Amino acid sequence: MGKATNWRARARYEFDKSMAAGPIALIGWLAVVSLVVIVAAGLFLALTQIAPEGGQPVNFIEGAWESLMRTMDAGTMGGDVGWGFRGVSLFVTVAGIFVFSALIGVLSSGLEAKLDELRKGRSQVLETDHTIILNWSPSIFDVISELVIANTSRKRPRIVIMATKDKVEMEDEIAAKIDDLRNTKIICRSGDPTDLYDLNIVNPQASRSIIVLSPEGEDADSQVIKSVLALVNAPNRRVKPYQIAAEIRDGNNADVARIVGGKELQLILADDLISRIVVHSSRQSGLSGVYSELLDFDGCEIYTIEQPDIVGKSFAAAVMAYENSTLIGVCDNQGVVHLNPPVGQIFKAGERAIIIAEDDAAIRAGNIDMRIEKDAILPVPHREPGPERTLILGWNRRGPMITFELSRYVAPGSLLTIAADTPDLEADIAALTIANGNMTVDYRIIDTSSRAALNALDIPGYDHVLVLGYSDHMAPQPADTRTLVTLLQLRKIAETAGHHISVVSEMTDVRNRELAAVTRADDFVVSNKLVSLMLAQASENEHMAAIFDELLDEDGSEIYMRPVSDYVAIDQPINFYTICLAALKRGEVAIGYRRKRADDADPRSLGGVVVNPVKSEKLLYSEDDRLIVLARD
């Protein structure tokens, strides 16, 4: 009796476990029940020799077949005769009705659950060679737009997004804000990017690259670091290294992120990147257009690629070997990036050239008739830098970094005035760090959108004006709106004074940058856009973060915009080969020019910036035109 009880308890336990296991297990149980009924009925008919009235007794096989037919179709028993055979058929048919009714219910609920799972974005991704984006932020739309352009030449490109957001909401926002996905398919999944189980849903083992965005809200850097940690230390991770590009806001968290990600991680320090570009653009109008061109997949891009044709040549000779591309550096055999190396440095086998080009297919070195006009090359002019007066209107978390970066470049006797009305401005000013004694800092607590308050600052007396958004205390759109009001007030002040004021503004949304064109500011740095471009580029080029670290480092080679007339005579048209040679003689690399003409088309709003021009083309330059060079000072 005890054994029978134990058997029944065990059977009930297995049944309950199967009920919890899902539709497949339930279908299995229904199949077992059907088999038991069919076999039992077949045995019963064979042993009792019950047969339809007037018919012959059946064996086990025939009896089982008759039972199977009645299990699957209740109408089959309508032609049975003889009450004994009818009784068996009735039992089998009733059991069949029960089994198939239950089967329909199981299939219906299973299908509904699967559809619900798909709607919630919890199903496994089966794609391979795809780009994964983890977390959701306003930057995601620019990242997707750039990846769509980069994917144009690929077959079946896929972008898989995972965030703690509803799948349908993500899909709706992407459809509303990105007009044309071209040949790229977007796949959204809901989940926690810091959770190992959820990360497996997006199939990182088969991915091409992974982008980790800084999510909205507090403690964003911790979320990014945990996601990277979950990726690189997962028990079932692949052997091949991942290519991860991650965004970190606070530079103090960079070291921890690098320890976690190791060589698989390219780190984009968002605030540091924007702060440096804001400072450089404020001192060299139009520079943000150069950075946008280098980072935008729609124009020229930076490639790191082996070039056997220049092995054994000096860097200077290799620069002059390209007509439609611009050589700017070398990635050595240890993977270290060197921009603008010594002109006599020889390219070695296995080293990669760092080249700006329209497309990697256009990169070709060769023997070209350069037609250099050596007589047009001018000696280096000497200019002693003087003190500068800079005004910052508005304030956010990037303000201290901008102040420190600015202090590294200005000459002794320079002044920085900060004017804003943020709650903690006085404490922030007291905590500022200055690189040297070349610059003093003072501040004013004012409403930067007020005309009267701005007039009191004597703005025409400043060499440079930077307008920062109140992004720490306001949402992106209201912050940009206040920036626009400030810019309009500055325009009116400049018109009243009859004096040009050099103004550079930080914007959050690229759409507001287009609206701000009416303010006639010299340059705009669109923070979200530039960070997005950088993340997209880093996901495609494993050396991109290192390249831009050097471009924005005071100790490395940086981008400068200098008068063309400092390099060559401008009294007649001249080709870019001659300009390149003039730059090389100074230890610099010429990468483009800024040449603004009233009738010139500027479809990409780069302010006349042209990067990687055709070197054989002759152009006539003026005193206002600028040469874009890569130089160490």
Side-chain angles (χ1 to χ4, degrees), residues 35-48 58 60 63-64 66-68 71 88-89 91-92:
L35 184 63
V36 168
V37 170
I38 291 166
V39 170
L43 284 172
F44 183 78
L45 290 174
L47 293 174
T48 60
V58 296
F60 170 72
E66 294 287 344
S67 300
L68 176 62
T71 301
V88 175
S89 297
F91 168 75
V92 172

Side-chain angles (χ1 to χ4, degrees), residues 303-329:
Y303 296 90
T304 52
I305 187 170
E306 287 194 34
Q307 291 286 279
D309 291 340
I310 62 174
V311 172
K313 290 185 177 182
S314 68
F315 178 73
V319 167
M320 303 298 286
Y322 294 92
E323 181 180 11
N324 299 307
S325 307
T326 303
L327 176 67
I328 61 171

Side-chain angles (χ1 to χ4, degrees), residues 555-574:
D555 298 326
S557 287
E558 302 173 62
I559 297 175
Y560 292 91
M561 300 181 73
R562 293 168 173 166
V564 177
S565 56
D566 283 358
Y567 291 79
V568 294
I570 57 173
D571 55 345
Q572 60 183 353
I574 197 164

Side-chain angles (χ1 to χ4, degrees), residues 127-173:
E127 306 295 334
T128 59
D129 198 37
H130 54 292
T131 299
I132 297 172
I133 300 176
L134 301 178
N135 296 319
W136 188 269
S137 81
S139 301
I140 196 168
F141 307 108
D142 290 322
V143 173
I144 293 172
S145 297
E146 289 304 308
L147 291 176
V148 165
I149 297 171
N151 287 338
T152 303
S153 59
R154 295 199 180 103
K155 293 182 178 179
R156 300 183 69 254
R158 299 290 186 266
I159 299 173
V160 178
I161 301 168
M162 170 172 276
T164 54
K165 189 178 177 75
D166 183 74
K167 172 182 180 290
V168 176
E169 288 182 20
M170 290 190 281
E171 291 172 341
D172 288 346
E173 283 196 48

